[in-house]
Amino acid sequence: MRSIWKGSITFGLVNVPVKLYSATEDHDVSLHQVHDADGGRIRYERHCEICGKKVAYEHIDKAYDDGENTVVLSKEDIGSLPEERSKEIDVVEFVPTDQIDPIMLDRSYYLEPDSKSTKSYVLLRRTLEATERTAIVQFALRSKTRLAALRVRDDVLVLQTLLWDDEVREAAFPSLDEDVKIAKRELDMAGQLVASFESDFEPSKFTDEYQQQLRTLIQAKIEQGDTIDTDATFGKTEDDEGDGEVIDLMEALKRSVESTRKKTGSKKGA
């Protein structure tokens, strides 16, 4: 695996250097579009609507349109934002794991220690295990500020990005407001049906049958010679060829606890 981001987890004065890796991958067969008449690749090109010229990706900026005015944001503008430059995964709070609604979970990432000493990494991992809590963190990745849950999976710290509260839609269905009466006999029968399907979840038992069938279809066409030369789909011919600062961990923990106590005390005194 190749890391996609480097930074540090920070909680109090404790700093945990880490590398970020995608924890999942797409197993779907990659398909592209071709012309049904001759198998030629279908290209999507970026053209400017003012000059009509084809525009290379490096010359494309982003913009916001409010309906009347357009604000152009250059790469320098985006890069100047403080959150975009941050390389810290900042622990905001530790919450009971069961308070995190699964509907908010988005993408998952593995965190690997990025330091000669793994002590602070192991300390955070064991703390989460011992307290049975999940750390809520904030960090910036790919031009976006992310909210995430930091938890333990086996011996690895896992970062799961969360949707923001306003990104989860409310399920407002009038039909669910109807007063429906369910008889005890119906509940008992439904319970018996559930019991007949009871099992322990083993992900390895399930396979993506559509993708298997798709691979079988592709292999069959290859074996039958039902293919065309890949270069030909691009319109190529033979003539075209050649063209962290180290600090004492215990001291950092002590100072973090003292700092938190002072803040808590000042709030109570107020």
Side-chain angles (χ1 to χ4, degrees), residues 12 253-266:
L253 287 169
K254 288 180 179 178
R255 287 161 58 187
S256 298
V257 172
E258 290 173 0
S259 175
T260 303
R261 285 176 177 171
K262 288 180 181 178
K263 290 179 180 178
T264 304
S266 62

Side-chain angles (χ1 to χ4, degrees), residues 54-243:
K54 180 180 176 180
V55 182
Y57 184 78
E58 60 266 24
H59 296 300
I60 295 178
D61 284 335
K62 296 181 179 180
Y64 171 77
D65 173 17
D66 66 2
E68 295 183 5
N69 301 291
T70 294
V71 179
V72 177
L73 300 170
S74 67
K75 297 177 182 63
E76 291 73 21
D77 291 331
I78 299 295
S80 69
L81 299 176
E83 286 295 337
E84 169 66 13
R85 299 196 307 270
S86 175
K87 291 295 181 182
E88 291 187 347
I89 300 174
D90 187 27
V91 175
V92 180
E93 56 191 9
F94 294 91
V95 304
T97 300
D98 60 8
Q99 289 185 358
I100 300 174
D101 190 334
I103 199 172
M104 296 186 69
L105 297 175
D106 194 12
R107 293 183 175 273
S108 298
Y109 301 91
Y110 291 134
L111 294 177
E112 177 193 20
D114 189 24
S115 174
K116 293 181 179 179
S117 172
T118 62
K119 188 172 184 178
S120 57
Y121 182 97
V122 174
L123 171 66
L124 178 56
R125 187 190 72 203
R126 290 187 178 177
T127 300
L128 291 173
E129 290 175 327
T131 59
E132 297 183 348
R133 292 204 165 224
T134 294
I136 299 300
V137 304
Q138 286 187 301
F139 70 110
L141 177 66
R142 292 170 177 165
S143 301
K144 285 187 177 182
T145 300
R146 315 275 177 162
L147 183 69
L150 179 65
R151 64 180 184 85
V152 180
R153 184 177 189 269
D154 298 328
D155 291 331
V156 181
L157 290 176
V158 175
L159 195 66
Q160 290 184 286
T161 56
L162 302 173
L163 298 174
W164 297 97
D165 185 57
D166 61 358
E167 291 181 315
V168 179
R169 292 176 173 177
E170 181 182 355
F173 303 122
S175 59
L176 295 179
D177 295 331
E178 296 178 11
D179 185 16
V180 179
K181 293 183 179 181
I182 304 295
K184 183 179 183 304
R185 184 168 173 272
E186 293 172 323
L187 278 175
D188 291 341
M189 288 294 292
Q192 291 176 27
L193 181 61
V194 170
S196 68
F197 280 91
E198 283 180 353
S199 180
D200 292 321
F201 180 55
E202 296 178 27
S204 59
K205 292 192 304 185
F206 302 92
T207 57
D208 189 338
E209 294 182 2
Y210 173 80
Q211 290 299 320
Q212 288 184 340
Q213 294 168 7
L214 182 58
R215 286 185 171 89
T216 299
L217 174 62
I218 292 171
Q219 186 59 36
K221 281 182 169 287
I222 291 174
E223 293 174 356
Q224 294 169 8
D226 188 6
T227 65
I228 56 179
D229 182 73
T230 297
D231 282 347
T233 67
F234 288 103
K236 291 182 179 180
T237 64
E238 292 183 3
D239 294 337
D240 295 327
E241 296 295 329
D243 280 303

Side-chain angles (χ1 to χ4, degrees), residues 31-47:
L31 301 175
H32 53 259
Q33 295 180 326
V34 297
H35 186 191
D36 62 356
D38 53 22
R41 293 283 182 103
I42 302 298
R43 293 177 180 268
Y44 292 92
E45 298 181 341
R46 304 175 182 88
H47 289 87

